Amino acid sequence: MNNEILVKVENLSKIYNTESEQLEILKNLSLYVEKGTKVVITGKSGSGKSTLLNIIGALDSSSSGSVKVGNFVVNTQNEDKLTYYRTNVLGLIFQFHYLLKDFNAVENVAMSALIAGVSKRKAMEKAKALLCDAGLEQRFYHFPSQLSGGERQRVAVARALINNPELILADEPTGNLDPANAQNVGNLLFSLVERYKKTLILVTHDMKLAQNGDVVYSIKNGNLIAL
């Protein structure tokens, strides 16, 4: 760790209004993440952990408070700048792989780089290198339907790293996998984050996976508690 704060979440609140009630999911929550740190957030379903990750990832908006990643103030930007942020500053991994079914593994990984303006040759080279890192050198030209669940999630991990993001956000990345594959994918994610010196914020129910974090929090009553 170098004590440089990459992620600053300050006084964050998220309120959902329904016809019958007002639900305050996050309550003046603050989180500071040092560059290079692997942060894990646990908590019961509905506790707000995915909501927090989505707000940091500019996939949802807060009711109040601020989010800053590096020099990028997330909650004050227009959609064009948020698209740039999601494409270049973040690497996103979800519970479902969201691979494009008509593209093979290399193309799925390279796609984000192509969207970011990288040449096709460089994008494909980098995609192949990342898939090798993920243990998928024999699966370059396989389509998602030809890959196992664990392999598809490995492709998703490689895709999250293609644009050399500052921050990886992972929302239950092993949640759809059997225990053996969950452990393998979890170990891969943490090892690649370490190798590429990335900062990670990961949300999970899996306490075994959570043990890999440098810092582990639980969300209770809309706020973070260090474990």
Side-chain angles (χ1 to χ4, degrees):
M1 315 303 168
N2 59 10
N3 297 321
E4 179 185 344
I5 300 297
L6 178 66
V7 181
K8 288 184 181 179
V9 177
E10 296 184 312
N11 302 317
L12 198 71
S13 293
K14 179 64 176 181
I15 298 170
Y16 291 102
N17 291 304
T18 68
E19 288 183 5
S20 59
E21 62 181 335
Q22 193 177 70
L23 297 174
E24 190 172 14
I25 304 297
L26 303 175
K27 303 176 183 179
N28 292 318
L29 181 149
S30 293
L31 171 67
Y32 302 92
V33 180
E34 290 183 15
K35 194 170 184 179
T37 304
K38 298 178 287 293
V39 173
V40 177
I41 300 172
T42 67
K44 295 179 180 178
S45 294
S47 62
K49 55 190 188 299
S50 291
T51 300
L52 172 59
L53 211 65
N54 287 339
I55 292 171
I56 296 171
L59 302 172
D60 196 357
S61 58
S62 62
S63 301
S64 62
S66 65
V67 175
K68 187 177 181 183
V69 177
N71 294 318
F72 195 92
V73 182
V74 176
N75 46 299
T76 63
Q77 306 298 334
N78 61 33
E79 191 53 42
D80 285 345
K81 289 183 178 178
L82 290 177
T83 297
Y84 174 88
Y85 168 72
R86 289 187 289 258
T87 303
N88 295 280
V89 180
L90 301 181
L92 300 169
I93 307 168
F94 302 97
Q95 185 169 345
F96 185 72
H97 54 77
Y98 293 113
L99 300 181
L100 301 170
K101 64 182 179 66
D102 296 327
F103 294 86
N104 63 36
V106 173
E107 291 166 337
N108 263 288
V109 175
M111 190 69 67
S112 293
L114 294 170
I115 291 169
V118 176
S119 72
K120 184 174 181 180
R121 181 180 63 81
K122 286 185 177 179
M124 298 299 264
E125 283 178 0
K126 193 167 184 182
K128 288 177 181 178
L130 284 166
L131 286 170
C132 287
D133 287 344
L136 294 172
E137 55 271 17
Q138 304 300 319
R139 297 287 188 270
F140 285 173
Y141 305 110
H142 285 60
F143 291 86
S145 62
Q146 299 171 310
L147 299 172
S148 70
E151 288 170 338
R152 287 193 287 264
Q153 205 63 349
R154 284 169 173 263
V155 175
V157 171
R159 180 182 58 192
L161 289 160
I162 188 76
N163 286 335
N164 195 28
E166 292 183 69
L167 176 65
I168 303 289
L169 299 178
D171 190 359
E172 296 282 6
T174 62
N176 282 341
L177 304 177
D178 63 79
N181 271 311
Q183 183 169 353
N184 289 336
V185 170
N187 289 342
L188 172 72
L189 173 58
F190 277 94
S191 68
L192 290 182
V193 164
E194 189 79 33
R195 182 188 306 180
Y196 287 102
K197 296 179 170 57
K198 299 302 174 189
T199 306
L200 172 69
I201 303 177
L202 179 144
V203 159
T204 185
H205 283 106
D206 184 346
M207 295 310 294
K208 192 170 183 180
L209 180 62
Q211 291 172 4
N212 292 296
D214 299 317
V215 184
V216 181
Y217 295 101
S218 177
I219 290 192
K220 292 182 181 176
N221 300 319
N223 228 305
L224 290 173
I225 298 170
L227 297 180

